[in-house]
């Protein structure tokens, strides 16, 4: 399945999503209609990137670079 | 109009890292709680309002995104020492700022840092969460 759910120390998923949005990348953030799973995993919320057959390697690299940008902002 | 990444600079990140009045009060006269189930954010607010209707102390606790935490922190700084009526009016102005209406920018002071959020309706809720809890606290005691 082409989804990658992730969390980052010190950065809230909605902040991650907004910063990635500023870089032209759309992800989902929050509970993803799976609140019981988040409760079970003990996390407040998560960020989620999806990949499709049309996703290019350049787009994946752009995501990786944007995630590093989030890391820079939140230290 | 600030871009989203410009929002994540300066005062908002600074208040997220070092929130002001991030504590529990011993003897609050008013308190309230808010949560946003869509993102899992939670926030509680406590106030001390004296006989003249002046907010003499305020503290908040909770967890949330940088926008909600920074906004709540800056709200506590902005309302401390103001009357309940002044704080309520400030919320009106803040709400106007975020929804693209005419706002009293000089009254808002540093709170204008959130202006760029107006382009992101999903995030306006983050910035107003603390203010909604404030209003509810004052209304219900």
């Amino acid at each position: 399945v082409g989804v990658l759910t992730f969390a980052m120390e010190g950065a809230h998923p909605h902040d991650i999503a907004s910063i990635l949005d500023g870089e032209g990348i759309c992800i989902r953030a929050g509970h993803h209609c799976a609140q019981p799973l988040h409760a079970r995993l003990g996390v407040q919320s998560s960020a989620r990137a999806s990949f499709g057959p049309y996703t290019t390697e350049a787009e994946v690299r752009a995501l990786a670079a944007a995630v590093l940008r989030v890391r820079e902002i939140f230290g | 109009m600030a871009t989203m990444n410009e929002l994540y600079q300066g005062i908002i990140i600074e208040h997220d890292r070092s929130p002001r009045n991030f504590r529990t009060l011993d003897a609050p006269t008013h308190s309230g709680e808010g949560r946003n189930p869509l993102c899992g954010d939670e926030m509680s607010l406590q106030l001390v309002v004296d006989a003249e209707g002046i907010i003499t102390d305020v503290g908040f606790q909770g967890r949330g995104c940088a926008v909600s935490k920074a906004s709540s922190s800056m709200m506590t700084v902005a309302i401390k020492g103001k009357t309940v009526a002044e704080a309520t009016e400030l919320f009106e102005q803040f709400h106007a700022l975020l929804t693209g209406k005419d706002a009293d920018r000089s009254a808002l002071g540093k709170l204008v840092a959130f202006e760029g959020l107006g382009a992101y309706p999903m995030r306006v809720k983050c910035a107003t969460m603390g203010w909604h809890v404030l209003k509810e606290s004052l209304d219900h005691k």
Side-chain angles (χ1 to χ4, degrees):
Chain A
V1 181
V3 295
L4 176 68
T5 303
F6 63 99
M8 295 174 74
E9 185 76 37
H12 189 286
H14 277 171
D15 294 319
I16 298 172
S18 288
I19 291 165
L20 264 51
D21 180 42
E23 306 277 334
I25 298 161
C26 291
I27 64 163
R28 241 193 115 179
H31 282 138
H32 321 299
C33 305
Q35 201 165 352
L37 177 62
H38 283 80
R40 173 71 180 268
L41 295 173
V43 294
Q44 196 186 349
S45 57
S46 58
R48 190 179 75 186
S50 305
F51 305 87
Y54 44 80
T55 305
T56 64
E57 183 179 333
E59 287 166 344
V60 176
R61 290 189 183 282
L63 169 66
V67 167
L68 290 175
R69 171 93 187 102
V70 174
R71 192 73 283 158
E72 275 171 33
I73 289 172
F74 287 99
Chain B
M1 181 71 74
T3 66
M4 184 48 85
N5 288 0
E6 283 165 356
L7 275 169
Y8 285 101
Q9 286 169 21
I11 196 163
I12 293 177
I13 286 293
E14 202 267 314
H15 273 261
D16 175 49
R17 286 191 184 142
S18 312
R20 316 296 197 274
N21 303 302
F22 195 69
R23 60 197 170 88
T24 308
L25 304 187
D26 290 334
T29 57
H30 297 68
S31 61
E33 287 180 10
R35 60 181 60 227
N36 184 342
L38 283 177
C39 47
D41 289 2
E42 300 168 348
M43 190 239 183
S44 65
L45 181 77
Q46 295 178 310
L47 301 159
V48 175
V49 179
D50 72 9
E52 278 84 50
I54 294 167
I55 299 166
T56 58
D57 204 1
V58 51
F60 82 104
Q61 290 276 289
R63 50 182 197 172
C65 62
V67 173
S68 71
K69 201 166 167 189
S71 175
S72 297
S73 170
M74 290 168 70
M75 175 190 79
T76 63
V77 173
I79 64 171
K80 202 190 267 192
K82 286 196 165 59
T83 65
V84 169
E86 286 167 344
T88 304
E89 171 59 21
L90 197 58
F91 180 27
E92 297 291 323
Q93 295 302 327
F94 188 60
H95 199 265
L97 180 84
L98 292 178
T99 49
K101 301 189 182 80
D102 280 338
D104 183 347
R105 302 176 67 89
S106 62
L108 286 165
K110 290 176 179 171
L111 297 175
V112 297
F114 292 94
E115 184 172 25
L117 267 190
Y120 302 87
M122 281 289 293
R123 303 303 309 275
V124 169
K125 285 196 291 285
C126 308
T128 53
M129 184 175 183
W131 290 91
H132 282 293
V133 176
L134 170 69
K135 189 165 189 308
E136 192 187 292
S137 308
L138 293 170
D139 286 349
H140 291 96
K141 192 161 185 173

